[in-house]
Amino acid sequence: ACTASNWVSDSAVKCVLPRGVGSSGDLEVDLAGRLSTLPSPFRFDAAILITPPTIRAPTAGSGRFNLTARNFGGADYSPRMALGQTLAPETTWLSDSSIFCTAAPGVGKNLGLNIQLGGTGEYNVTYPSSVTYDVA
């Protein structure tokens, strides 16, 4: 839903969207009982890491790291992170520009880093060849 809306002309309405991630969802306009729907007309900007990550995690797990970016969301949208195919046991949103993560146990090198915002699975950001598990 719009946080504010204004009639602009016979063919335009201005809608101010709330903060978010992913797509905006359907936009519905109700004018005197006549409903018009525009499916997902808007997508929020994707998260962009300020420095492409190079993460080295212990194979036993529990490595901790912070990712710095833009557009992690203006509120906590329940981020999840995976190192390769392994979901991190703890991912914490700190701000629009910072997420904290604890690595799960794993093996491999040059694995992808997958960040999911919004909890729906629809909004993924992947950085290939970003993670290497160090052999102890």
Side-chain angles (χ1 to χ4, degrees):
C2 299
T3 57
S5 62
N6 295 322
W7 177 84
V8 177
S9 70
D10 287 345
S11 61
V13 174
K14 180 180 178 182
C15 171
V16 178
L17 293 171
R19 294 176 177 181
V21 296
S23 64
S24 61
D26 293 348
L27 178 63
E28 294 182 341
V29 177
D30 184 341
L31 180 61
R34 296 182 70 186
L35 187 64
S36 180
T37 302
L38 184 61
S40 297
F42 181 82
R43 288 193 62 77
F44 292 93
D45 292 338
I48 301 170
L49 292 180
I50 292 172
T51 303
T54 301
I55 297 168
R56 299 190 74 86
T59 57
S62 75
R64 296 171 175 241
F65 55 92
N66 211 34
L67 293 177
T68 303
R70 289 190 304 267
N71 305 325
F72 278 150
D76 184 351
Y77 293 99
S78 304
R80 295 190 307 176
M81 195 172 309
L83 309 176
Q85 298 298 314
T86 307
L87 191 63
E90 177 186 5
T91 304
T92 306
W93 176 88
L94 301 174
S95 70
D96 181 56
S97 61
S98 186
I99 288 179
F100 173 81
C101 181
T102 301
V107 294
K109 62 182 180 177
N110 299 322
L111 304 172
L113 172 68
N114 185 52
I115 304 167
Q116 181 187 85
L117 300 171
T120 64
E122 72 149 293
Y123 190 64
N124 291 319
V125 180
T126 300
Y127 295 91
S129 303
S130 299
V131 178
T132 296
Y133 280 97
D134 290 326
V135 176

